[in-house]
Amino acid sequence: SISVISCRQPQARVAAAAQELPATPRQQMLAQQAAAAARQLPTVVTRLPEQFNAQVLSTAVLLIDKPPRWSSTDVVRELGRTLRLNKVCHGGPLDAHATGLLIILLGAASRLTPKLEPLERTYSGTLKLGAATTTYDATGQVTATSPWRHISDADLAAAAAKFQGEVLQVPCMWSSTKYKSKPLRWYAERGEDVRREPKAVHISAIQVWRDKASAPADRGSTTSRRTQPAAAAAAA
């Protein structure tokens, strides 16, 4: 007769014992370095180039006043090339034609990205009434015009109120919203239309008022300010 001896239990005990082995000196050193890096606060850089050095570049937050016609990716790529860094990212994109604060994270500070992206943001801009463009902003060609002089301040306030709170927003084809790792405007520039699913956006507050510097008979415009999560930043 042949006796079969099961070895599953000894194997399980050996595997459990291996997992309980004390960490090697190198593993302990790496764990300590990772814990120290997690506790280290990044340097916020607002002036260049006096504050730049190797220590700052290892973990820093750059507050960039992004100019128009630069995408957020353009800024990240240029900083990585100029500073010779591999780990450069942003804390939430701005459209290429939008201007304002773009938060850039260097080195170990990139771990802050998940914490920055959900934060509320404030946007402001000028709207011209009575015109529609190919890109839904001032950079496109005008495709249609309509009367606007009959629109009152009360009409503007009532229209703005409809956008406050939780709304469903379809990303614009000319925005920086990513689709298959490319911004939607990349497809729009090539005449391609991509199916976009509406996203839930929370607008905490929105204000619209008429530009008093121009006479209503000459120009109709509004300035809107809204605060919303970063998920809808590309649609601002």
Side-chain angles (χ1 to χ4, degrees), residues 128-133 141-148:
K128 183 176 182 180
L129 300 178
T133 68
Q141 297 179 348
V142 176
T143 57
T145 59
S146 58
W148 57 268

Side-chain angles (χ1 to χ4, degrees), residues 29-201:
M29 179 189 68
L30 294 176
Q32 291 174 356
Q33 290 179 349
R39 293 192 300 268
Q40 182 180 4
L41 294 177
T43 302
V44 178
V45 180
T46 58
R47 299 184 62 185
L48 301 179
E50 293 83 2
Q51 297 182 6
F52 264 125
N53 53 55
Q55 183 178 2
V56 169
L57 294 178
S58 66
T59 173
V61 176
L62 302 186
L63 306 182
I64 302 294
D65 186 5
K66 192 186 80 64
R69 295 181 296 277
W70 276 67
S71 69
S72 302
T73 303
D74 292 336
V75 176
V76 169
R77 185 184 299 113
E78 184 64 20
L79 284 172
R81 183 187 66 82
T82 303
L83 302 177
R84 299 180 181 179
L85 293 176
N86 294 325
K87 186 174 289 188
V88 182
C89 61
H90 57 70
L94 287 177
D95 285 350
H97 293 283
T99 62
L101 176 63
L102 179 66
I103 301 177
I104 298 294
L105 308 171
L106 305 181
S110 60
R111 70 182 188 277
L112 299 176
T113 301
K115 297 182 179 180
L116 293 177
E117 289 183 341
L119 297 180
E120 289 190 338
R121 304 178 180 191
T122 299
Y123 301 90
S124 64
T126 300
L127 309 177
K128 183 176 182 180
L129 300 178
T133 68
T134 54
T135 57
Y136 302 96
D137 59 20
T139 63
Q141 297 179 348
V142 176
T143 57
T145 59
S146 58
W148 57 268
R149 288 182 172 84
H150 64 283
I151 300 177
S152 66
D153 291 353
D155 295 330
L156 295 176
K162 296 179 181 179
F163 292 94
Q164 188 164 333
E166 198 81 17
V167 297
L168 287 178
Q169 187 179 74
V170 178
C172 173
M173 276 300 301
W174 291 91
S175 70
S176 296
T177 301
K178 292 293 185 65
Y179 176 78
K180 293 185 177 180
S181 74
K182 294 184 182 296
L184 287 174
R185 67 172 182 279
W186 186 90
Y187 299 94
E189 290 169 352
R190 289 156 178 76
E192 302 179 25
D193 191 17
V194 174
R195 179 180 176 83
R196 290 101 64 203
E197 296 295 333
K199 296 181 179 180
V201 178

Side-chain angles (χ1 to χ4, degrees), residues 185-228:
R185 67 172 182 279
W186 186 90
Y187 299 94
E189 290 169 352
R190 289 156 178 76
E192 302 179 25
D193 191 17
V194 174
R195 179 180 176 83
R196 290 101 64 203
E197 296 295 333
K199 296 181 179 180
V201 178
H202 181 77
I203 300 179
S204 302
I206 179 170
Q207 295 178 330
V208 180
W209 61 91
R210 193 181 300 273
D211 184 4
K212 301 301 183 181
S214 300
D218 297 331
R219 183 178 68 177
S221 64
T222 62
T223 301
S224 65
R225 181 176 298 274
R226 62 184 181 180
T227 304
Q228 61 187 34

